[in-house]
Amino acid sequence: MEMVPSEENQLVPKEIENAAEEPRVLCIVQDTTNAKTVNERLTLNLPASTTLSKLFEDVAHKASYVNGTFDLAWGKTGDMGSLDPSSEMSLTESGFEPGKRNFLQLTDKDGEQPQIASDESGTAGSSGLDDSSQERFIGPLPRDGTVGCSSDCSSPSYSYSSILNKSDTGYVGLVNQAMTCYLNSLLQTLFMTPEFRNALYNWEFEESEEDPVTSIPYQLQRLFLLLQTSKKRAIETTDVTRSFGWDSSEAWQQHDVQELCRVMFDALEQKWKQTEQADLINQLYQGKLKDYVRCLECGYESWRIDTYLDIPLVIRPFGASQAYSSVEEALQAFVQPETLDGVNQYFCERCKKKCDARKGLRFLHFPYLLTLQLKRFDFDYTTMHRIKLNDRMSFPEELDMGPFIDVEDEKSPQTESCTDSGAENEGSCHSDQMSNDFSADDGVDEGICLDSASSTERVLKPKSSLTFELFSVMVHSGSAAGGHYYACIKSFSDGQWYSFNDQHVSKITQEDIRKTYGGSSGSRGYYSSAFASSTNAYMLIYRLKDPSRNAKYLDCDDFPEHIKHLVQREKESEEQEKRQREIERNTCKIKLFCMHPVKTMALMENKLEVHKDKTLREATEMAYKLMELDGVVPLDCCRLVKYDEFHEYLERSYEGEDDTPMGLLLGGVKSSYMFDLLLETRRPEQVFQPYKPGEVMVKVHVVDLKTDTIAPPVSIRAYLNQSITEFKQLIAQATELSAETMRVVLERCYNDLRLVYVPNKTLKAEGFFRSNKVFVESSESPDHQVTFTDSLLWKLLDRHGNTIRLFVSLPVQSPGTNRTICPKVCGDTEECSEGSKGNRNSVEAILEESTEKLKNLSLQQQQGSSTSDSQKSSDTSDFEHIESPSPSQEPDSSVSAAVAVDNRELENRIRAAGGGTYSDPETQFPGEERSDSEVNNDRSTSSVDSDILSSSHSSDTLCNADSGPIQLANGLDSHSITSSRRSKANEGKKETWDTAEEDSGTDSEYDENGKSKAESYYLYFRAEPYAQEDGSGEGGQKCVLVHVDKRITLSAFKQNLEPFVGVTSTQFKVFRVYANNQEFESVRLNETLSSFSDDNKITIRLGRALKKGEYRVKVYQLLVNDAEPCKFLVDTVFAKGMTVKQSKEELMPQLKDQCKLDLNIDKFRLRKKTWKNPGTVFLDYHVYEEDINISSNWEVFLEVLDGPEKMKSMSQLAVLTRRWTPAQMKLEPFQEVVLESSSVEELKEKLSEISGIPLENLDFAKGRGTFPCDISVLEIHQDLDWNPKVSTLNVWPLYICDDGAVVFYRDSTEEPMEQSEDERNELMKKESSRLLKTGHRVSYSPRKEKALKIYLDGGPVKDPGQD
């Protein structure tokens, strides 16, 4: 089919080009046959005359389906009518609208999924590519960039490659691993070079001598064979890159194709030593040139011979605005000599003086395969960035190199011979016109260092035979930062040009080759350079036109014997791979769940992979082995059922279908299923319950109001059309309760309780769904007569739904420390006097005594205590006594201190036991523990709680945790699938961090009159002693297990903890423990515990709690000239409305006692701390929350002053300055400079005053990074931005707007100290050590590009010192 270019610079078949003149129809097809593809769209832009049958063919090709195995139906219409796949009607006749979007749906045909196209069709499925890697358009529509392109460019758009399959072009593409387009372009060029391909085939691999995995020639040989013989559309290059010693990270490194060519040739030469191919690279690609200097006075010439593998051609000469227009012009400039005169004069050995001379290059020999590199990448010294030159440079299809050959003798009588440099400079030309990229020094960093090797002399050919024909153009699209490579290659077998763009291979024309010249169309006039195309030729490869040497590609029949064997092995491997893919296509992969009766009580998950033709019986056996039930449960006690894991719903069982194929049961082979499978187990004496489609699953919890208990769930199945009366009868059969007095409560969602009581109403009308949870109660209790929301049943369920379990660690009570507080008025003076004795009772003893009393209390005493005890005040209890020990509980576990004794009575006894007098809540007692920040200042302890964390509660596991599990016939225990799922959810939430900041301080526990705020209603609280399993409670630390209603406020929670802590709630702090034992203080007293969830940990620490308007503040000392400039001092409290001077006065005694710092109030200042950076200086008259914003977890710097405070007003600016003395390679200590304005001139004047540097010689620069902005003395002189061209400090690039900025300065006339190499190395080691200790980077230089290397030993050698 003839190809022509379209307007979008793409090639399309001629018939399509003609069709583009007629109206086009845009078809958008949604594939609904697969859950993975349902959100994708296939887009086809077709001529309106296209027939329906052709539409089906195009959709089949695009979706990689076999035509005839799917249906197309109209989308977004009510009738969803299907289209006729055999109709020859045009699209417009069939109802398609040109110029509009026509939506179609691809659906199953006769209930079966479409068949994936086989390998022979050349589709993506056959090449291991997924749909995402394929083009999504047919016709002249632009497509997105190819994989491997950088973000700033897109690959050349050749949409015609989606039309032509491999059968049309006969060539196979290469898969782009990630950014390996440069490798693919070079490999395809080498493959299309007959001489290289044939020589590679003639080389025979000896497996006994080398590992095939690391053999580069062998893997190239395999790749070339696959490119020639494979039926795939594209093949992988991973085996080749693995032989290079590359790992997967190399696929994400983009390199230069010329650099790869040179490094790969070096590697092949090393691998081919001592073989017939040892000199193959030199024979094909190596040329010679003469580098000479000729004296213009005496004619004496000095020269040397260099070899090259490619010729680098300058696009635009240095400093010029005009580029060379053609390759011939650039070649002429390459050999054009330059005159050395003036200061550049050459010392002539014959004249014995400096003379004018002429220096240049002459070609002595051209290689058989001539490689030209167009140097499009340059460096812009104005912007100091790499750039790409997109100027137009034309190149001929046939290039005559005769005019550029040197016809003189290699040695003339007037010249002095230099030794041949040989392979020392192989692959690089030495010329002033060349980039340093081609110097011998760079060769050490890239590729392989080669020893000197001899170069074969060749006879020069006459000019008439130096005609080269172009056969490969490697194109780069993009910028200097990155882009995409592809190759345009001419086949020597038919003379046709092809585009090899990764996996896409397609025919192109000479016009497309001309488009790679670069430049613009010229129609934009003055702005033409700004719109130059970024897609242009980068490397050109020519072959010498010599019939005696020009080879043809080897046919399969002419392959050497070892290649024929290799072809056979590859064909067998490909067939095996095809069979395996066929099996994969027919394998159903579905999630499998099972409640293992021995290993774990949680739901186990796995993946069942079963062939669609396997029966249900065989699949059950596979699942039985997969879940490791052999020897635990007999196979005949297991069955597979359809299961919905999301809704925890058993959809149906498969009775009588043991011999049915799994493909039919699961609805075909799909990439994902909307349901799962559950391997259900039973005991031998039980019978499986049949699950019918349409049934709903209900978990029934029986409630006992007498014992205030909720039983574990019993699973029953019902129908949505059943009435409530029928549903009660069903529950009565399963639970043996009376249906007459039964109350049924449905929990529709979390804590949403609804009494179901209308007899004739259906379950569906009541809101039942697939999986439901109900609570049932059946008794003669008068509670039936009460409104549901006022009933005991509702209260019990409400408490059950809101109760959480918390582990509370109490503070260690030191025997010799007074940590308890007595009441102001001691009601029992005898008890108080006993408390002052040396052998007084400890808090622990009182707790033990109170818990012993609990064991003797009955349920009746607990219920009557709220009414019969007239001495109990209503404001002394903050919880309901409605929890009773379960009959099944052991005596040890039924202890509950909070239920048995009155809070205040126990508190009074504890206070009495503590002895001493009452201390005011605001007074901090002497033995108060230091906060975490004092013990470990790396741990943050002043964050506050927030209600943004969603709370989750597993109602199935809280009450009656000690009751034995009820074994159900379906093999699931009484905790059911629900409890295991929710416990997993709660585990995830334990990791959540509570980092909300408060806005206006904390809420006080006391009102303005100092009275305690009583709760408006009582909430449940129960605590019992708890021994930590990990032993962390040893050493005197006590722990309690608290069951509490999470709607309780933090204030009430603390008041309930008072008897256990031994002090009032104002004298201890609550810390919430997160992952890695990090603790954050909870301070918002009016907030509830709703952000807490089951099994959260809490630590209680002694210390004064914050009042409203108070903030806990960490104070650090700022030591600007110390190695560690930030040192933690104390934790203190600042209050709203306090002045800075008042806070300094309160700090002074604390600093003296705890830090041994005896400071005068005028000799230190406070300033803002941001991370490690010092900020705004706080003046003494500033007021917190008015002049200074303050918040939780606040940190400030304390800075000791050398003299009186210089900062008097906020208009001043305090800058930290540091002098750099290059002559000594030394940085002086910091000095503070106070400026009256933001003027650069004032800064320089102040620096001149303190340093003595003349104003005109003073340079300054802003420091980088965090304080102290350390930088190596080896880099500071050139790396900082010295003397920015600004007049004020608060503009770019300085942006000095606040106190604490770091400014370096120097004397511009001072030269850096001269150092020997050893001295410099020694200084470098010292600087590296110093900067590593301070945690600063050693260098600010940008990230260096990773050098391209090919490892001959199979992989890089890791440096032992590198870790």
Side-chain angles (χ1 to χ4, degrees), residues 1358-1363:
K1358 187 176 180 181
D1359 184 3
Q1362 177 190 1
D1363 227 345

Side-chain angles (χ1 to χ4, degrees), residues 1213 1235 1238-1245 1258-1262 1281-1297 1303:
L1213 191 65
L1235 305 176
S1238 296
S1239 167
V1240 169
E1241 200 60 38
E1242 183 186 358
L1243 172 65
K1244 296 180 77 171
E1245 289 173 1
L1258 195 141
D1259 291 348
F1260 76 96
K1262 184 184 177 183
D1281 185 13
W1282 293 97
N1283 276 349
K1285 306 300 181 186
V1286 291
S1287 58
T1288 57
L1289 300 176
N1290 56 1
V1291 297
W1292 184 88
L1294 294 177
Y1295 281 130
I1296 299 177
C1297 306
V1303 171

Side-chain angles (χ1 to χ4, degrees), residues 192 397 469-471 488-492 495-497 553:
M192 296 294 287
E397 188 173 1
E469 63 175 322
L470 179 70
F471 77 95
C488 299
I489 307 173
K490 182 173 74 171
S491 170
F492 287 112
Q496 172 66 48
W497 282 90
Y553 304 112

Side-chain angles (χ1 to χ4, degrees), residues 960-1205:
N960 291 311
D962 296 325
S963 300
I966 299 174
Q967 189 69 26
L968 306 179
N970 62 5
L972 307 181
D973 68 5
S974 60
H975 291 286
S976 82
I977 300 167
T978 307
S979 63
S980 66
R981 282 169 52 81
R982 292 194 174 178
S983 63
K984 287 180 182 177
N986 287 335
E987 286 175 11
K989 290 177 183 174
K990 293 175 195 171
E991 303 286 334
T992 312
W993 280 54
D994 193 358
T995 56
E997 294 291 338
E998 62 178 341
D999 299 320
S1000 57
T1002 56
D1003 300 308
S1004 173
E1005 297 177 56
Y1006 299 90
D1007 58 20
E1008 294 178 357
N1009 299 322
K1011 297 179 181 179
S1012 177
K1013 296 178 180 178
E1015 291 288 303
S1016 58
Y1017 57 90
Y1018 303 132
L1019 293 172
Y1020 179 70
F1021 181 98
R1022 179 170 68 88
E1024 59 190 43
Y1026 167 71
Q1028 297 190 27
E1029 296 178 1
D1030 57 4
S1032 58
E1034 297 178 1
Q1037 186 171 13
K1038 300 294 183 181
C1039 299
V1040 290
L1041 181 63
V1042 176
H1043 294 270
V1044 62
D1045 193 315
K1046 64 183 177 184
R1047 293 169 294 186
I1048 195 172
T1049 63
L1050 178 62
S1051 174
F1053 179 68
K1054 290 182 69 176
Q1055 290 177 23
N1056 280 301
L1057 285 175
E1058 285 179 357
F1060 305 96
V1061 183
V1063 296
T1064 60
S1065 60
T1066 59
Q1067 297 300 317
F1068 66 85
K1069 298 173 284 187
V1070 176
F1071 290 87
R1072 187 170 178 178
V1073 184
Y1074 290 94
N1076 302 323
N1077 291 323
Q1078 298 205 30
E1079 299 178 354
F1080 291 86
E1081 185 179 1
S1082 299
V1083 294
R1084 289 188 171 179
L1085 299 173
N1086 285 343
E1087 287 191 354
T1088 66
L1089 304 185
S1090 58
S1091 64
F1092 288 74
S1093 56
D1094 274 333
D1095 297 337
N1096 279 175
K1097 293 182 180 179
I1098 289 176
T1099 298
I1100 304 298
R1101 300 194 184 280
L1102 297 180
R1104 183 170 74 81
L1106 297 177
K1107 290 185 176 181
K1108 187 170 185 177
E1110 290 185 336
Y1111 301 87
R1112 204 171 304 281
V1113 179
K1114 292 184 178 67
V1115 182
Y1116 294 81
Q1117 186 174 3
L1118 177 64
L1119 303 162
V1120 292
N1121 288 311
D1122 278 21
E1124 183 51 59
C1126 181
K1127 176 186 175 184
F1128 176 77
L1129 293 177
V1130 294
D1131 243 339
T1132 189
V1133 175
F1134 288 176
K1136 178 181 179 181
M1138 178 186 286
T1139 66
V1140 173
K1141 187 171 183 178
Q1142 289 172 331
S1143 65
K1144 288 166 68 175
E1145 290 172 347
E1146 292 199 6
L1147 262 178
M1148 287 167 61
Q1150 201 174 347
L1151 293 170
K1152 188 174 182 179
D1153 293 342
Q1154 298 184 27
C1155 307
K1156 309 304 180 189
L1157 278 177
D1158 192 3
L1159 300 174
N1160 187 298
I1161 195 168
D1162 297 324
K1163 294 296 182 182
F1164 73 95
R1165 65 160 65 133
L1166 298 179
R1167 66 190 302 168
K1168 183 180 179 181
K1169 178 179 182 289
T1170 307
W1171 183 226
K1172 295 182 179 180
N1173 299 308
T1176 308
V1177 174
F1178 300 147
L1179 304 181
D1180 285 350
Y1181 59 82
H1182 283 163
V1183 179
Y1184 295 116
E1185 285 286 32
E1186 293 181 10
D1187 303 309
I1188 303 169
N1189 291 326
I1190 188 170
S1191 62
S1192 306
N1193 202 21
W1194 207 50
E1195 297 177 343
V1196 296
F1197 269 129
L1198 181 150
E1199 186 178 10
V1200 179
L1201 301 174
D1202 297 330
E1205 176 64 81

